[in-house]
Amino acid sequence: MAAPRQPQKATYDAIVIGAGIQGSFTAYHLAQRHRDTLLLEQFILPHSRGSSHGQSRIIRSAYPQECYSRMMPDCFRLWQQLEAEVGARLYRQTGLVVLGPAGDPELEGCRRSLGDGQVLDAAALARHFPGFRLQAGEVAVLDSTAGVLFADRALRAVQEVFRRHGGTVRDGEKVLRIEPGAVVTVTTTGGVYQAPRLIITAGAWTGPLVESLGLRLPLQPLRIDVCYWREKEPKSANMGSVSPCFLTLGLSQAPHGIYGLPALEYPGMVKVCHHHGSRTDPDKRDQDPSGADRPDIGLLSSFISSYLPGLETQPAVMETCLYTNTPDADFILDRHPKFSNIIIGAGFSGHGFKLAPVVGKLLCELSLGEEPSYNMAPFAITRFPDVLQAAL
């Protein structure tokens, strides 16, 4: 069902382009700060064309990178605040195990991020979660805070609270032109809008939008196979064995990592995906590639045979999603180097959903000219020097 239409006007305090989870939380924070905000979306809401759809995403405290682990307590608090605002559950605690070679630097980073994170050897993991098998020399780090975010429900909740605070959502309006200046003008297929600040959070469509502003960001959209695997013995004694979420780090057979979580979408199945995909044009990602172009399925089948023997080795359901990756897999959260009232949030690289409450807060703070709540150096555009040179 499309979002209810709201009265159209031309001038706002802020405009946000892209109503995925990052843009919606940015608009949410701006509205909480009493800024009259317009949230633009090119597709009719709700939709499954971007990176924020589906029923489930992992949320976790364990992170090898300190810049993200520092944000997670604030993220949990803001997700809980949103639950209270809408009176609905948006998260289910399941725990998470991070699998990898003993002594792996990233795995050790996850353990440190948990304070005194519990490390399980193969025998201990099998006792806790009988459905998992470790290989020789591997261990698991247990994150008991982790769980599953109800993604579609969460996105609707953020937009609902945004509207409740006076925000305007206009969907089905594709941006045609952005004219920078002290007041930015945004022309869409449905109207012309102006505001003194603009925030671009357009996911896989961000690259072309900012290129028109003289900025060539190294953003690569990837088509991800989202796979659901049936349990061999549904509702068996082992069903709880795959109930926690999991992810892998440093395994030679999965250089980009594999992750999994209970499938809320399909009971009796487990969602297991490779944290990588094939390059794509976001406007053509639904063109189904041939089996030869889907090597991830064989990789996942091999992984499941070795590590999750209670699952069938061929996926029962396959869907698609989009990642928009940066070269270092860290986000871009920064001002345009030439137009300081244009803010860019991009390159969430398949791990941004859980962090959206804080990302939205940071983009809001940048747009208002405030000191950001966190160190922004890891997310600066200037870490890509050629991009900055091109922009100037």
Side-chain angles (χ1 to χ4, degrees):
M1 184 171 63
R5 301 305 289 176
Q6 294 171 277
Q8 186 166 7
K9 64 176 190 175
T11 305
Y12 294 86
D13 295 331
I15 297 172
V16 180
I17 299 175
I21 196 64
Q22 312 295 349
S24 294
F25 257 117
T26 302
Y28 163 97
H29 283 289
L30 284 162
Q32 299 268 24
R33 304 284 292 277
H34 307 291
R35 289 340 193 256
D36 185 13
T37 303
L38 171 64
L39 180 59
L40 289 170
E41 170 55 49
Q42 65 174 319
F43 302 115
I44 298 295
L45 294 170
H47 70 85
S48 59
R49 301 292 302 278
S51 304
S52 296
H53 64 282
Q55 292 190 40
S56 56
R57 294 291 190 281
I58 294 174
I59 183 170
R60 55 188 163 101
S61 297
Y63 245 109
Q65 302 98 328
E66 191 175 351
C67 61
Y68 299 115
S69 64
R70 285 179 179 273
M71 295 177 181
M72 285 314 303
D74 203 10
C75 287
F76 275 101
R77 179 185 64 80
L78 288 167
W79 280 117
Q80 290 164 0
Q81 176 181 305
L82 181 62
E83 284 186 320
E85 287 173 319
V86 296
R89 288 185 65 208
L90 302 175
Y91 157 74
R92 185 176 78 190
Q93 189 171 355
T94 64
L96 171 139
V97 287
V98 187
L99 314 176
D104 177 82
E106 285 195 304
L107 196 67
E108 282 298 300
C110 284
R111 184 186 62 79
R112 287 193 299 271
S113 73
L114 298 170
D116 55 353
Q118 185 179 1
V119 179
L120 308 176
D121 62 16
L125 181 65
R127 284 196 303 272
H128 279 76
F129 308 114
F132 286 92
R133 298 286 184 272
L134 287 177
Q135 310 304 304
E138 296 172 354
V139 296
V141 171
L142 177 61
D143 178 355
S144 59
T145 71
V148 178
L149 285 167
F150 307 147
D152 282 342
R153 191 186 303 177
L155 183 59
R156 290 195 303 270
V158 182
Q159 293 169 357
E160 176 188 328
V161 176
F162 169 64
R163 288 192 184 94
R164 199 185 293 170
H165 283 82
T168 301
V169 179
R170 296 199 66 83
D171 61 347
E173 293 197 23
K174 184 178 178 65
V175 171
L176 302 176
R177 186 166 63 257
I178 300 170
E179 299 168 59
V183 174
V184 182
T185 301
V186 178
T187 302
T188 76
T189 51
V192 179
Y193 310 98
Q194 291 187 315
R197 55 188 63 83
L198 171 69
I199 304 93
I200 299 174
T201 53
W205 291 267
T206 298
L209 278 178
V210 300
E211 195 165 340
S212 70
L213 300 170
L215 190 59
R216 191 182 293 274
L217 294 179
L219 298 173
Q220 179 57 63
L222 298 178
R223 181 189 189 277
I224 307 299
D225 290 319
V226 180
C227 301
Y228 299 84
W229 310 74
R230 201 181 306 278
E231 294 180 326
K232 291 178 179 176
E233 299 178 28
K235 302 188 187 212
S236 68
N238 278 340
M239 187 167 182
S241 64
V242 289
S243 62
C245 306
F246 74 88
L247 60 89
T248 72
L249 292 173
L251 295 184
S252 58
Q253 71 183 85
H256 298 284
I258 291 171
Y259 65 92
L261 58 158
L264 304 178
E265 300 90 333
Y266 303 106
M269 298 188 196
V270 179
K271 183 177 177 179
V272 182
C273 307
H274 190 207
H275 192 59
H276 194 60
S278 53
R279 292 172 175 246
T280 191
D281 177 335
D283 290 317
K284 299 177 181 176
R285 75 102 189 257
D286 291 329
Q287 296 175 1
D288 192 38
S290 68
D293 295 326
R294 303 182 93 151
D296 293 348
I297 305 304
L299 182 151
L300 290 169
S301 295
S302 174
F303 173 83
I304 284 169
S305 295
S306 299
Y307 289 85
L308 297 168
L311 299 181
E312 300 286 353
T313 56
Q314 292 300 314
V317 178
M318 290 199 309
E319 299 172 344
T320 60
C321 188
L322 285 177
Y323 284 7
T324 307
N325 281 29
T326 61
D328 56 13
D330 288 327
F331 309 160
I332 292 172
L333 309 172
D334 204 353
R335 297 179 178 88
H336 189 292
K338 189 174 181 182
F339 310 115
S340 61
N341 60 341
I342 297 178
I343 313 300
I344 300 161
F348 295 101
S349 303
H351 65 108
F353 198 100
K354 70 185 81 62
L355 288 145
V358 167
V359 166
K361 181 168 76 167
L362 290 169
L363 295 173
C364 170
E365 290 167 344
L366 285 172
S367 74
L368 297 176
E370 299 175 352
E371 183 69 24
S373 300
Y374 294 88
N375 174 23
M376 301 300 284
F379 314 115
I381 289 173
T382 51
R383 73 186 196 270
F384 307 117
D386 294 341
V387 173
L388 180 61
Q389 185 178 13
L392 300 176

